[in-house]
Amino acid sequence: MTDTAARLLRLLSLLQLPREWPGSELADRLGVTDRTVRRDVDRLRELGYPVVAALGATGGYRLTAGSALPPLVLDEDEAVAVAVGLRVAAGQAVTGIEDASVRALTKLEQVLPTKLRRRVRVVGAAVAVGAGSGPTVDPDVLTTLAAAVSNRERLRLRYRDAAGAETRRHVEPIGVAAAGRRWYLVAYDLDRDAWRSFRADRIEGPQPTGARVVARALPAADAAEYVAGRRTDWATPSYEVDVTIEAPPHRVEGRLGATPGSIVADGATGCRFTETRDDDPEWLAAQLITLGVPFRVHGSPELRAGLRGCASRLAHALD
């Protein structure tokens, strides 16, 4: 391996494995001398990679955690695994990592070779299970929308409204946001001369046109705030949740898609979950069941109906 850049990438890939590498073994792997390995390690350090060296017979080189996140090198299987995980996270609008998962997925899929993209789609289709009975979003649609936002590029797409009527739209995307376990595209509708938010699960065949987006003033601080103020676009009635759970808050937080402050301690070992929701009650019912602890629902006929639906399917599965 004579090309310095390629050799550095190969060295970095080896050092990212959780072990110490003797200099002689790295030299054999790379087909170079021990001296060249030392120079290449110094180059990686200059680039910000925290490579440490331990002396002695059992010593060697290893990559440690640093104060900043340097670029990572992934082999094909690792890249597929990361991309599939991101597609699942993006499709489910996981609370707290929605935008980050789509941004990361967009960056990764832009550089994946065609054969790896096919592997990602095949594996992703096999492992991505929808949460509850709510609508799911094709990750390919999400990454296309996010890429158009990043590239400031106009889109043409097909959109189905709540009644199922399909229209063709020519839009200038400004942002993608998650709210109520759903994804939305915020864009300026060129045919209607107005800002609109589009539910991503109702978007089909988005195609970038190559035309640049015109700078316009969005009537909100960002896409997320615009979506939050357009509840009529959501077409989902809100419902109240009041649940007592026999588990401390730290065991529940992050597992119910709850807003901060909606889960508080109730007694020495329990907690109370109160919130106004606008997502699928059956999804929340399933999440409560997977907690694996006793709980009691106070009021909330919507959540009770969701629990009865889950119970009915479980009973049917055991018949």
Side-chain angles (χ1 to χ4, degrees):
M1 186 179 296
T2 57
D3 183 79
T4 302
R7 189 176 67 248
L8 284 175
L9 289 174
R10 174 61 178 156
L11 174 59
L12 180 58
S13 179
L14 292 172
L15 290 174
Q16 285 176 171
L17 296 175
R19 55 161 292 189
E20 286 195 349
W21 290 89
S24 58
E25 185 174 350
L26 288 175
D28 290 341
R29 291 288 190 108
L30 300 174
V32 296
T33 64
D34 289 355
R35 183 180 178 183
T36 299
V37 170
R38 290 194 294 271
R39 286 202 304 264
D40 286 349
V41 167
D42 288 338
R43 291 190 181 100
L44 289 179
R45 288 168 175 161
E46 291 172 358
L47 293 172
Y49 293 95
V51 182
V52 298
L55 301 178
T58 60
Y61 297 101
R62 61 188 175 90
L63 192 65
T64 64
S67 59
L69 178 65
L72 300 177
V73 177
L74 303 175
D75 63 27
E76 290 189 357
D77 290 339
E78 292 167 341
V80 170
V82 172
V84 169
L86 289 170
R87 286 169 68 91
V88 173
Q92 302 302 323
V94 180
T95 302
I97 64 168
E98 307 95 336
D99 296 338
S101 61
V102 173
R103 289 198 308 271
L105 180 59
T106 301
K107 291 177 181 178
L108 182 57
E109 291 206 340
Q110 282 181 334
V111 297
L112 283 179
T114 301
K115 67 173 184 177
L116 293 189
R117 290 185 187 179
R118 286 196 294 267
R119 284 180 60 188
V120 168
R121 292 191 178 96
V122 170
V123 177
V127 303
V129 179
S133 59
T136 58
V137 183
D138 184 348
D140 289 335
V141 170
L142 273 182
T143 53
T144 299
L145 300 180
V149 171
S150 299
N151 298 333
R152 299 185 58 80
E153 190 174 5
R154 291 180 177 178
L155 284 172
R156 292 191 181 277
L157 53 88
R158 300 189 306 277
Y159 188 69
R160 292 176 290 102
D161 62 19
E166 182 178 292
T167 56
R168 295 184 178 274
R169 306 294 184 98
H170 187 199
V171 301
E172 293 184 343
I174 193 66
V176 177
R181 298 196 60 80
R182 292 200 177 103
W183 284 102
Y184 296 86
L185 170 69
V186 176
Y188 191 82
D189 192 322
L190 294 170
D191 297 321
R192 290 155 180 79
D193 196 24
W195 287 101
R196 292 287 188 270
S197 61
F198 302 92
R199 269 180 43 177
D201 57 289
R202 295 175 178 170
I203 293 176
E204 296 179 359
Q207 293 292 332
T209 66
R212 306 296 292 176
V213 168
V214 176
R216 305 177 191 273
L218 179 69
D222 53 28
E225 182 178 297
Y226 182 83
V227 170
R230 299 279 295 178
R231 298 185 65 90
T232 54
D233 287 356
W234 296 13
T236 303
S238 60
Y239 61 97
E240 299 297 325
V241 171
D242 186 356
V243 184
T244 300
I245 304 172
E246 294 185 20
H250 69 84
R251 283 195 55 191
V252 176
E253 290 170 344
R255 300 181 62 180
L256 301 177
T259 56
S262 62
I263 299 174
V264 298
D266 184 25
T269 59
C271 64
R272 191 83 173 233
F273 173 34
T274 57
E275 188 178 45
T276 300
R277 309 277 294 205
D278 46 40
D279 57 359
D280 179 13
E282 278 205 12
W283 179 87
L284 181 57
Q287 295 304 106
L288 285 167
I289 293 170
T290 60
L291 291 177
V293 297
F295 63 89
R296 180 174 295 277
V297 178
H298 309 285
S300 188
E302 296 86 356
L303 180 56
R304 288 176 176 272
L307 286 166
R308 283 193 290 270
C310 291
S312 175
R313 283 192 293 277
L314 289 171
H316 179 72
L318 296 174
D319 286 344

